[in-house]
Each structure stands twice: as structure tokens, then as C-alpha cells.
Amino acid sequence: MTSTPDKTQRGHGAPAEGRSLDSESLAAAAILMLSGPLSILMGASAIANDSLFALSSHYAYRFGLTAWGVIHIVVGAALVVVGLGVVADRKWARSVGVVAAGISLVTQFMFVPYYPAWAIPVMVLDLLIVLLLTRYFFKVRRTV
């Protein structure tokens, strides 16, 4: 009787054998893939010059809605890509995820005067992403 050979290829960036994602990484990936599309939707609304945004004339970070739309779409796309990287257990994804969530947090903070009911909950999601991904780093560091 012949056995079928294992055709699983282990290459650069492939997860180690017997290793699976921990719950923090899965939660961070889920929130990344939630926060990203929310930012993309916000960007699309801003580009369409939707009437739901409040425009203040005395704000230090005042950009046009089209500029804010592009910023949110780019950041949202980055969050989705990083979320997929975390699910695929890529080494780069966790550190890039912390940076991308931090950038998203800053852009949402700057966007608060335009639509606080949207920006503040997305800021909370971004903080959770940073917490979950950095918690993984501290957990790995303690076990080494």
C-alpha cells in the first residue's frame, strides 16, 4: 500500500507546523476587517459630498471632504490588507497592523468635528486593534 506524499509547502512566511492563531490575533483580524470597510464607506460618503457631515469654518485640520474621503479610503484599504495578513499569520502583519491602526486612530481623531457619531466608535475599534496586537507581542516576549 502506498502513502500519498504531503504536498504542503512550507516557505517564507508560512506558519510553523502545529501553530495556530491565538484568540487575540483572530479578534484583531476581525476588528481590522471591520474597521477597514467602515473607513472605506466613510471615505466614499465624503467623496460623494454627502450632507451628513458638519462643516466647521474654525478647525485646524480642515481639509476638503474629497481629501478626507481619499484619506479614509487609503487607510481603510490598508486595514483590510493587514487584517488578511494577520489571518494568514504573516510575520509582518502584526507590526504593520499596529502602525495602520495608529494611523487610522489619528485620522479618525482629526475627523471628529465632521462626524463624531462615526469617528469616535471607529477610534475605539482602532484602540482595540492596537491593544490586541501589542498584547500578542508581550505574550510572545514573556514565553521566550
Side-chain angles (χ1 to χ4, degrees), residues 62-140:
R62 182 171 164 84
F63 297 129
L65 281 179
T66 303
W68 275 116
V70 170
I71 290 168
H72 283 299
I73 288 174
V74 169
V75 170
L79 291 172
V80 170
V81 168
V82 170
L84 292 172
V86 171
V87 168
D89 203 20
R90 300 294 183 220
K91 290 182 180 183
W92 57 266
R94 287 182 181 88
S95 55
V96 174
V98 171
V99 171
I103 290 171
S104 177
L105 179 65
V106 170
T107 59
Q108 293 297 334
F109 176 76
M110 293 168 53
F111 197 71
V112 165
Y114 290 93
Y115 195 18
W118 184 283
I120 292 171
V122 175
M123 286 171 56
V124 171
L125 292 176
D126 294 333
L127 282 171
L128 282 171
I129 293 166
V130 171
L131 173 73
L132 290 169
L133 290 177
T134 56
R135 182 178 164 112
Y136 172 81
F137 286 125
F138 290 122
K139 187 187 285 186
V140 168

